Amino acid sequence: MTPCAVTTGFFTLGKCGQMAVAGCPACGRAVCADHLADGGLCPECAAARNRFGHPAAAAAARRRTYRQRQSQYYGDTVYYSGFDDYDRAAFEPGAAADQDYLDDGDDALVDS
Amino acid sequence: MHRAAYLAFDRFPSAKGSAVHIRHMAAELFDRYGGGLLCVLGGGELPAYQREGGVEIVRFTDVVPNLLDRAEAFSRWAADRLAPHRDTLEICHVRDPWGALPALSTGARLVYEANGLPSVELPYHWPLAAPSTLSKIRELEEHCLQESDAVVVPSRVILKAVTDRGAGPDRVHLVPNGADPVPADVPRPPTAPGRYVIYVGALQPWQGVDVLLRAFARLADLTDLTLVVCSSVSPARARPLRRLAERLGVRIQWEHQIPHADVAAWLAHAELSVAPLTAGPRNLDQGCSPIKVWESMAAGTAVVASDLPVIREVLGDHGRLVPPDRPAELARAIRVLLEYPDACRDLGERARRHVEDGFTWKHARARLADVYDRVEAH
């Protein structure tokens, strides 16, 4: 197995070490699936070309994968959606919603 | 046991444009697969269960006050309805994330018909929805769009919005809405006023009905002209606009929740049809394909509409475009067209031919059938 050679960590740095799936076409370093950036580049070469990924993107993707896996495992359809009480509070009937919207209980979220 | 299912977190049937859309899209799906399961919202007088030939219609009728709870309860309920058909289900057609989640868990192919995006539309009705909540809803949309085998969109604007959310461009297909041709001899509605300009549709803020009322106030000198508003929502929800109309002294006739079959006659006998959509994120970033515009064109009635990319796509040069959110400009355009009835008639005729030549529901269904062909081939 070729380990991923991308440097990771915030305070204590180290090599990622996961199984590499590609080589960066610019610098030749081995890169794993998690660190593969746009155009198959490693994160540093991608950054050098101004292709910065949003810092939250990777976390969001991991969160998504986790929830999807759990959702399937537990057979819970909406496990994925992950809304909490704070999210729900804004959708209570008394939560400053357009009152006329509530009158005839029309639930359509979108109209063509 | 069904091979196909259509899921929508919408009440069906209803007087809204979304219901017209569901009717045609679901009909194509069920014709193709010899019936199927339709999971929609119920309420009012609608039965919780119906069987129409090979089509089984089940309606979610639980009373759940919180919208997010209701959406999730719908998803769980739909998952239970789909479970017995898991072995035979080949395709699920959905309109929103709440339908897509249970469909994804079946393993059947998924066609996501993106007419709108809750992350864009919800804040209009629920102003307290936090940005973090909306980003979670957006994340949910992204997940469902990315997992779909095909995404069907009614306009190029929403095509861009869904590709921005990660739907692969090769899986996104444009299927514009349409309208059925209106017979030339359709009788005049008995309660129709002499000369009238018409607005048909719902009354959400993005529809710009307030702009139309303000424009109409500038046409007070045309004493034989009435504004007819065929509202797809109840009088209670029209209250703020009714108050505005009273304050402006507009000559207006309200028609609420008239059956869809009767709308064509109202459109066909109008001098003009107006679609005053506003230039907000809902219309500019998310996009739409307003059925009111398609149906006005099919009725051969000239359309005056806001100059927005989504309208230009539908109307092209077969109608009169005016800058959005500008009552004075809208009033001027209406006045000019009323003063040149020949030009107005010609515009309407050209619009009708344009719809007949390529944008009837038959055409839309043929385009959807192509999408199903492609999904099946993969």
Side-chain angles (χ1 to χ4, degrees):
Chain A
M1 180 190 100
T2 312
C4 172
V6 172
T7 306
T8 60
F10 175 61
F11 189 63
T12 310
L13 301 184
K15 296 293 176 202
C16 163
Q18 287 197 68
M19 187 178 76
V21 294
C24 172
C27 66
R29 119 174 56 182
V31 187
C32 71
D34 279 357
H35 284 123
L36 212 55
D38 277 358
L41 297 164
C42 73
E44 282 175 61
C45 294
R49 286 162 179 71
N50 267 338
R51 291 184 192 167
F52 292 97
H54 189 275
R62 272 199 292 278
R63 200 158 58 233
R64 198 151 55 216
T65 315
Y66 170 76
R67 287 201 189 123
Q68 194 183 352
R69 211 168 38 227
Q70 295 299 310
S71 161
Q72 278 165 2
Y73 181 73
Y74 291 111
D76 182 349
T77 312
V78 294
Y79 187 94
Y80 179 85
S81 53
F83 296 112
D84 55 28
D85 289 348
Y86 177 68
D87 297 321
R88 284 167 210 286
F91 295 96
E92 289 294 337
D98 179 355
Q99 281 305 309
D100 296 300
Y101 177 67
L102 302 170
D103 278 334
D104 52 2
D106 196 335
D107 293 287
L109 289 179
V110 293
D111 194 9
S112 300
Chain B
M1 299 292 269
H2 294 300
R3 293 167 59 214
Y6 191 108
L7 298 95
F9 188 63
D10 290 276
R11 186 183 292 179
F12 180 83
S14 78
K16 296 185 74 173
S18 54
V20 178
H21 203 267
I22 293 171
R23 174 160 72 95
H24 292 287
M25 299 287 118
E28 181 59 34
L29 179 73
F30 295 148
D31 281 356
R32 191 183 180 94
Y33 287 92
L37 181 69
L38 178 65
C39 299
V40 287
L41 297 183
E45 302 288 303
L46 296 171
Y49 181 84
Q50 270 176 278
R51 187 154 202 130
E52 305 289 333
V55 180
E56 215 177 339
I57 306 171
V58 284
R59 294 193 177 85
F60 178 73
T61 52
D62 290 2
V63 178
V64 186
N66 185 299
L67 181 75
L68 276 188
D69 287 340
R70 187 157 63 243
E72 292 193 337
F74 172 79
S75 292
R76 286 198 187 91
W77 170 86
D80 290 344
R81 304 283 87 70
L82 292 174
H85 309 284
R86 199 179 271 260
D87 293 339
T88 52
L89 214 52
E90 293 170 34
I91 194 160
C92 288
H93 187 130
V94 304
R95 284 171 61 87
D96 44 66
W98 325 114
L101 286 176
L104 278 171
S105 63
T106 62
R109 293 194 173 101
L110 180 65
V111 175
Y112 191 123
E113 180 195 318
N115 295 290
L117 298 161
S119 63
V120 179
E121 289 208 350
L122 275 178
Y124 282 96
H125 298 301
W126 303 92
L128 291 189
S132 60
T133 306
L134 296 176
S135 70
K136 281 184 188 175
I137 293 174
R138 187 184 163 120
E139 203 181 298
L140 199 58
E141 285 164 2
E142 285 173 356
H143 166 68
C144 296
L145 289 165
Q146 287 166 14
E147 295 294 316
S148 302
D149 294 282
V151 181
V152 174
V153 291
S155 81
R156 289 197 172 79
V157 176
I158 194 160
L159 188 147
K160 184 180 176 306
V162 300
T163 47
D164 285 350
R165 280 164 171 75
D170 54 324
R171 289 184 290 114
V172 185
H173 309 279
L174 186 64
V175 179
N177 288 339
D180 289 328
V182 177
D185 56 350
V186 62
R188 192 180 176 85
T191 55
R195 281 179 93 212
Y196 62 95
V197 167
I198 194 165
Y199 169 83
V200 174
L203 305 178
Q204 303 100 327
W206 63 71
Q207 305 279 11
V209 182
D210 56 325
V211 179
L212 174 58
L213 294 180
R214 288 177 208 284
F216 219 76
R218 291 167 183 261
L219 300 171
D221 56 309
L222 304 175
T223 49
D224 62 337
L225 191 69
T226 304
L227 173 64
V228 172
V229 176
C230 289
S231 151
S232 63
V233 299
S234 65
R237 275 173 62 187
R239 230 181 284 132
L241 287 169
R242 277 172 169 260
R243 278 199 293 268
L244 178 64
E246 274 168 32
R247 193 155 56 77
L248 294 169
V250 172
R251 241 182 338 279
I252 188 166
Q253 181 173 328
W254 293 89
E255 298 289 335
H256 289 281
Q257 294 172 305
I258 57 175
H260 181 245
D262 298 348
V263 172
W266 280 97
L267 284 169
H269 291 279
E271 304 294 315
L272 284 174
S273 173
V274 186
L277 283 97
T278 60
R282 193 266 176 185
N283 297 326
L284 288 174
D285 302 341
Q286 174 196 273
C288 55
S289 180
I291 287 178
K292 64 173 86 32
V293 177
W294 287 113
E295 292 191 342
S296 303
M297 293 168 80
T301 304
V303 181
V304 180
S306 300
D307 190 4
L308 300 171
V310 279
I311 297 284
R312 255 178 268 149
E313 249 182 72
V314 178
L315 205 52
D317 55 359
H318 307 300
R320 178 73 199 269
L321 298 175
V322 293
D325 310 303
R326 304 282 283 275
E329 300 267 3
L330 181 57
R332 193 175 305 131
I334 294 174
R335 189 184 292 277
V336 168
L337 275 178
L338 290 174
E339 281 183 13
Y340 294 92
D342 290 343
C344 193
R345 226 178 348 264
D346 178 53
L347 210 54
E349 271 312 309
R350 275 199 288 133
R352 184 211 296 268
R353 278 198 298 276
H354 176 67
V355 170
E356 284 172 355
D357 290 348
F359 296 96
T360 63
W361 280 114
K362 205 171 145 200
H363 291 98
R365 284 181 58 165
R367 290 186 186 104
L368 183 64
D370 287 345
V371 175
Y372 289 145
D373 284 342
R374 287 199 204 187
V375 170
E376 283 169 10
H378 276 89

